[in-house]
């Protein structure tokens, strides 16, 4: 029995020794590895140190803008400069008011003529060159007269507003009460009241929205359109032509106003007056045109229904131009005949959605060409865009369009060359195109009897400078 069991015990002992030996070998191997790692050279530590560098590099990679910022931050003096320049670029650069362009004064074709040291109090809103060569300037409550030959400047400060300056060398003053009407000729005042047949303008409806205007006829009589009627001064007596006397039918509603536009013939004693009815600042209708032959008024037989008359002008050839309800008519005194002028069609691409509206103004140039200003009507309305035409020998020429509520001032020199006075810039017509010829912060402009263009510059309540252009 013992010989049979002994070999089993030896076999178990051998297995036990093999397992213990294996464990011992693995332990020695691990110990050797630990010692190797602990005794490793310092370069291994440098490798571990580089790992956070990689982490730092990966952080700006996700935000590349910060990478550039860090680069410029290293130079402290540049950091605020770039920040202040870059920040407003997308948000403020498109706004012109935040980055204004300096105005450069350049008179170009104009010659400096006179310097007026005296002061007109208030904003100058009127200028006139009288037939005697004197210059007249006016603010709402002050008027001055400058004589170039003597260099004498005379000024009057007034309690009542100025309503006009005329070429015969007079300033016209009218108080709020409507009487007396006063004139100042540079040295003395003259009054018109009931003794001169002057009465305060009054009527049933609202006053006309148009400014009071002066004109003169071939006999030297002064004409005035007021808020309610038409008046003529003969010698020292006024004639008052009420709408009923002229022949106009009025709406007779307190909320509706009626305006009047007037033109005097250049070859006879004829005068024409047109009417238009208004509700606030909107035109409604009108009662057409009436004619005065020096003695009585009569109805004008225009081959069209009576309507709102917005402009009238007379040329030296004996024609009366009338703008009524957006249509342009011309009356020939010698032939006693009317003809209609139709404007050319608008460019459908340049003026998409627009059409011709009312005729806002008719100006006659020295060469007898008619310059007609139409308002353009579209989806935005009719008060923000205009186009001007020149009519010469029956031919229409579009000159310029404008996107202003108040179109630029139009003047003509002695050669019939047209000038436009826009904000801070003056244009002259060359080859049917208005080209800028001067950059001036002008206040007023006028033409004298010889066709010289005069421009007034200066500052509020400071010296005034007169510039001239002689054609």
């Amino acid at each position: 029995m013992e010989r049979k069991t002994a070999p089993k015990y030896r076999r178990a002992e051998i297995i036990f020794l093999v397992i213990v030996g294996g464990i011992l070998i693995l332990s020695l191997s691990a110990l050797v590895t630990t010692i190797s790692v602990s005794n490793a050279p310092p370069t291994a530590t440098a490798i571990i140190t580089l790992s956070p560098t990689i982490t730092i590099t990966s952080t700006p990679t996700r935000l590349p803008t910060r990478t550039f910022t860090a680069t410029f931050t290293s130079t402290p003096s540049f950091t605020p400069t770039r920040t202040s320049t870059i920040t407003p670029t997308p948000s403020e650069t498109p706004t012109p008011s935040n980055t204004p362009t300096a105005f450069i004064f350049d008179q170009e074709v104009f010659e400096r003529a006179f310097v007026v040291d005296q002061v007109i109090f208030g904003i100058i809103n009127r200028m006139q060159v009288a037939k005697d060569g004197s210059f007249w300037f006016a603010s709402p409550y002050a008027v001055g007269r400058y004589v170039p030959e003597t260099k004498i400047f005379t000024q009057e400060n007034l309690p009542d507003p100025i309503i006009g300056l005329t070429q015969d060398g007079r300033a016209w003053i009218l108080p709020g009460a409507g009487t007396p009407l006063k004139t100042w000729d540079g040295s003395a005042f003259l009054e018109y009241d009931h003794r001169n047949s002057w009465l305060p303008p009054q009527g049933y409806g609202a006053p006309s929205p148009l400014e009071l205007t002066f004109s003169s006829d071939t006999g030297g009589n002064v004409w005035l359109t007021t808020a309610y009627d038409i008046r003529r001064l003969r010698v020292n007596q006024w004639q008052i032509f009420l709408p009923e006397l002229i022949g106009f039918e009025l709406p007779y509603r307190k909320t509706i106003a009626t305006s009047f536009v007037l033109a005097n013939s250049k070859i006879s004693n004829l005068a024409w007056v047109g009417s238009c009815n208004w509700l606030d600042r909107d035109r409604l209708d009108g009662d057409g045109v009436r004619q005065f032959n020096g003695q009585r008024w009569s109805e004008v037989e225009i081959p069209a229904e009576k309507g709102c008359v917005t402009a009238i002008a007379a040329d030296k050839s004996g024609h009366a131009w009338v703008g009524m309800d957006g249509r342009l008519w011309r009356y020939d005194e010698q032939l006693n005949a009317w003809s209609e002028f139709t404007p050319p069609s608008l460019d459908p691409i340049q003026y998409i959605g627009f059409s011709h509206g009312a005729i806002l103004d008719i100006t006659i140039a020295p060469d007898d060409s008619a310059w007609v200003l139409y308002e353009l009507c579209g989806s935005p309305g009719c008060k923000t865009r205009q186009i001007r035409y020149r009519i010469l020998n029956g031919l229409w020429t579009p000159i310029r369009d404008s996107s202003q509520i108040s179109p630029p001032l139009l003047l003509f020199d002695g050669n019939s060359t047209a000038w436009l006075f826009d904000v801070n810039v003056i244009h002259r017509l060359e080859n049917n195109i208005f080209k800028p010829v001067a950059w001036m912060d002008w206040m007023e402009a006028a033409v004298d009897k010889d066709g010289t263009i005069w421009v007034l510059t200066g500052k509020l309540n400071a010296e005034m400078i007169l510039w001239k252009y002689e054609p």
Side-chain angles (χ1 to χ4, degrees), residues 30-42 45:
L31 180 60
V32 172
T33 302
T34 303
I35 294 172
S36 300
V37 173
S38 62
N39 293 331
T45 304

Side-chain angles (χ1 to χ4, degrees), residues 35-363:
I35 294 172
S36 300
V37 173
S38 62
N39 293 331
T43 54
T45 304
I47 294 173
I48 297 173
T49 305
L50 290 175
S51 60
T53 304
I54 298 173
T55 303
I56 294 173
T57 305
S58 64
T59 302
T61 302
R62 291 178 295 174
L63 297 172
T65 55
R66 294 183 180 273
T67 303
F68 292 104
T69 304
T71 303
F72 288 101
T73 305
S74 62
T75 307
S77 60
F78 291 163
T79 301
T81 303
R82 290 189 62 86
T83 303
S84 60
T85 302
I86 294 174
T87 300
T89 298
S91 58
E92 295 185 10
T93 299
T95 307
S97 58
N98 290 334
T99 56
T101 302
F103 174 72
I104 300 177
F105 188 97
D106 189 353
Q107 75 273 14
E108 284 285 338
V109 298
F110 287 90
E111 175 187 352
R112 181 167 171 163
F114 308 111
V115 177
V116 184
D117 295 328
Q118 285 78 5
V119 173
I120 291 288
F121 295 101
I123 299 176
I124 296 178
N125 58 0
R126 300 178 190 273
M127 174 180 167
Q128 180 71 264
V129 187
K131 293 180 180 179
D132 62 3
S134 60
F135 292 87
W136 291 72
F137 317 101
S139 65
Y141 291 90
V143 60
R145 178 177 183 259
Y146 177 74
V147 181
E149 290 78 8
T150 61
K151 297 184 179 180
I152 295 177
F153 181 85
T154 310
Q155 177 175 324
E156 285 288 338
N157 298 325
L158 307 164
D160 300 314
I162 297 173
I163 62 172
L165 301 173
T166 51
Q167 285 189 326
D168 58 358
R170 282 189 285 183
W172 299 78
I173 304 103
L174 186 65
T179 189
L181 174 67
K182 299 179 182 179
T183 63
W184 184 69
D185 63 2
S187 59
F189 286 92
L190 177 65
E191 289 189 358
Y192 297 97
D193 53 22
H194 65 280
R195 293 170 296 183
N196 309 99
S197 302
W198 175 269
L199 299 175
Q202 56 186 344
Y204 181 79
S208 168
L210 304 183
E211 293 185 359
L212 281 68
T213 58
F214 289 87
S215 62
S216 60
D217 57 25
T218 55
N221 302 311
V222 174
W223 290 73
L224 173 63
T225 62
T226 76
Y228 291 101
D229 52 44
I230 302 294
R231 304 187 176 199
R232 179 176 69 163
L233 177 62
R234 301 188 68 184
V235 189
N236 66 341
Q237 292 294 316
W238 285 94
Q239 292 178 287
I240 301 176
F241 302 114
L242 299 176
E244 297 82 358
L245 178 62
I246 298 175
F248 287 128
E249 294 184 8
L250 300 182
Y252 290 106
R253 291 176 56 186
K254 290 185 177 181
T255 57
I256 295 181
T258 300
S259 64
F260 305 100
V261 289
L262 171 111
N264 300 101
S265 171
K266 305 299 181 184
I267 63 172
S268 70
N269 60 354
L270 291 180
W272 299 275
V273 174
S275 73
C276 185
N277 299 320
W278 301 70
L279 179 60
D280 295 328
R281 302 295 297 183
D282 296 323
R283 291 182 290 268
L284 299 177
D285 52 15
D287 198 26
V289 181
R290 301 295 186 272
Q291 178 177 285
F292 184 70
N293 64 1
Q295 299 295 328
R296 63 184 182 86
W297 292 90
S298 60
E299 186 171 333
V300 174
E301 299 295 335
I302 297 180
E305 294 184 3
K306 300 176 183 178
C308 169
V309 180
T310 52
I312 292 184
D315 62 28
K316 294 180 296 185
S317 301
H319 298 131
W321 297 80
V322 178
M324 183 175 69
D325 287 343
R327 301 171 69 181
L328 180 64
W329 298 90
R330 190 181 73 175
Y331 173 67
D332 191 320
E333 287 189 54
Q334 299 174 346
L335 299 178
N336 190 27
W338 288 88
S339 56
E340 183 178 8
F341 286 71
T342 303
S345 300
L346 295 171
D347 187 332
I349 298 178
Q350 183 178 359
Y351 301 101
I352 183 171
F354 282 90
S355 60
H356 291 97
I359 297 172
L360 303 179
D361 179 69
I362 303 173
T363 303

